[in-house]
Amino acid sequence: MEKKTICVCGAGTMGAGIAQVSAAAGFATILFDVDPGMLDKARIRTGNDLQQLLNRSKISEEKRNSTLSNITYASEIRDCVAEVVIEAIVEKPEVKIELFSQLAAINSPATIFASNTSSLSISSLAKNIAHPERVAGLHFFNPAPVMKLVEVVRADQTSQAVMETLVDLTRRFGKTPVACRDSPGFIVNRVARPYYIESLRLAEAGVAFETIDRLLENAGFRMGPFRLMDLIGNDINYAVSCSVYEQLGRPERLMPSTIQKTKVDNGELGKKTGKGYYS
Ligand code: NAI
């Protein structure tokens, strides 16, 4: 993998962070987004993040500079030629399939297509892509430069060689890979779903969300559910809630909340829009 180029698609909450991880690990990294404004934001965010690490003596000046120079920014799909593509765009299967299909047309059949989806079926994505054995899930956690865990998800079609390459790549990124099967919410989002949904039920019943957050934070959770949903993005969290609910056969206990839908309809997406549950 030493000389490989990595292309990260989507320069939002996750993509910008994944590109930073890849560049810091020494890979030539292309960050692609259809919205040039998002590329500008990502460039500023990465610069600030690395500067903070430098100020706190967590990295050297040389490391800051090499990480920055390893990232190129692209708003044209023709610039997305790489050995590994990691997709972190909107949580909508049809948009992800369209992107992978466009990338398949300009990349080698051996290029690996990894999706950072939180909940969509990787096998369903793969079956629509030429050479589906090169499609897998590579699920990072937020914020990507900080969180160690990465779920490496094997679709029905994924080859053993592709799984091994992605596990190796994850280690080179300085992360901890966990191989898992393609199942609704994989491991973490399946286990974590009731954390959000039960808390939303309490809020529906009239308990203030700040109180729920404070209680759970005092009980030892790093972040209360509402603060965490704002960090994740309420649009993403709602899409994941709906996807896991549908895939598991609509169990009552995991039914998404109207509070989530209202937040999304009002554009109160959390940190990325400046307002969610909190301002
Ligand atoms: P986001 O909404 O912050 O960013 C998405 C970006 O994709 C935007 O910049 C948008 O302009 C871009 N985009 C949309 N369509 C595109 C296309 N066709 N080609 C290129 N760029 C396109 O989303 P976020 O939160 O970064 O999520 C991205 C993916 O990562 C989703 O699949 C989500 O489920 C997953 N994920 C999100 C986590 C989170 O905490 N937000 C955690 C782990 C995974």
Side-chain angles (χ1 to χ4, degrees):
M1 293 296 297
E2 277 79 8
K3 299 268 190 289
K4 297 270 190 279
T5 298
I6 312 288
C7 177
V8 180
C9 298
T13 308
M14 292 306 292
I18 297 168
Q20 183 178 325
V21 168
S22 165
F27 293 94
T29 305
I30 303 161
L31 181 59
F32 166 69
D33 201 292
V34 283
D35 180 350
M38 291 304 290
L39 292 173
D40 290 339
K41 277 192 191 164
R43 195 198 311 261
I44 292 166
R45 204 179 104 189
T46 305
N48 290 342
D49 205 15
L50 293 169
Q51 188 59 43
Q52 273 185 26
L53 291 171
L54 178 60
N55 293 346
R56 294 184 356 236
S57 304
K58 300 271 184 193
I59 56 169
S60 65
E61 195 164 349
E62 193 187 3
K63 184 74 176 178
R64 190 264 315 259
N65 294 344
S66 67
T67 303
L68 288 175
S69 67
N70 280 341
I71 309 178
T72 53
Y73 296 86
S75 56
E76 300 287 344
I77 200 133
R78 62 168 181 264
D79 296 325
C80 296
V81 176
E83 279 80 28
V84 178
V85 170
I86 304 171
E87 150 309 287
I89 65 166
V90 280
E91 188 73 339
K92 290 187 181 156
E94 66 284 4
V95 186
K96 291 185 190 290
I97 290 166
E98 173 62 24
L99 174 68
F100 277 163
S101 302
Q102 288 177 358
L103 290 167
I106 59 165
N107 276 282
S108 142
T111 291
I112 293 176
F113 288 160
S115 174
N116 185 51
T117 178
S118 307
S119 62
L120 299 173
S121 157
I122 306 292
S123 305
S124 303
L125 298 179
K127 76 172 184 223
N128 290 287
I129 311 299
H131 308 288
E133 68 283 353
R134 43 117 165 232
V135 179
L138 203 59
H139 184 223
F140 292 77
F141 292 83
N142 186 4
V146 177
M147 302 296 279
K148 287 286 181 204
L149 184 70
V150 176
E151 290 173 326
V152 185
V153 186
R154 181 198 287 269
D156 298 340
Q157 303 91 334
T158 313
S159 72
Q160 181 61 22
V162 165
M163 283 299 286
E164 283 167 13
T165 303
L166 290 177
V167 165
D168 180 49
L169 181 64
T170 304
R171 289 207 177 101
R172 282 168 195 262
F173 282 171
K175 303 291 185 193
T176 307
V178 172
C180 64
R181 273 198 348 215
D182 187 19
S183 60
F186 315 127
I187 300 170
V188 174
N189 268 301
R190 172 83 172 261
V191 172
R193 207 50 24 204
Y195 187 57
Y196 310 110
I197 300 295
E198 280 297 327
S199 306
L200 286 156
R201 295 270 188 280
L202 281 175
E204 284 169 2
V207 182
F209 66 82
E210 297 94 332
T211 305
I212 301 169
D213 272 1
R214 211 175 315 122
L215 287 172
L216 282 162
E217 284 165 14
N218 277 304
F221 286 89
R222 180 68 70 85
M223 292 179 91
F226 295 91
R227 205 180 301 285
L228 184 51
M229 285 188 278
D230 272 359
L231 176 75
I232 291 164
N234 289 310
D235 52 340
I236 295 288
N237 195 263
Y238 181 53
V240 174
S241 300
C242 292
S243 166
V244 171
Y245 174 66
E246 291 295 334
Q247 290 179 69
L248 290 175
R250 302 187 165 201
E252 172 73 29
R253 68 194 171 84
L254 292 182
M255 189 165 68
S257 165
T258 52
I259 297 176
Q260 292 173 287
K261 183 171 186 311
T262 306
K263 285 283 168 211
V264 177
D265 290 347
N266 293 342
E268 295 177 359
L269 305 184
K271 199 176 168 201
K272 65 182 160 188
T273 57
K275 185 170 171 24
Y277 294 98
Y278 297 89
S279 290

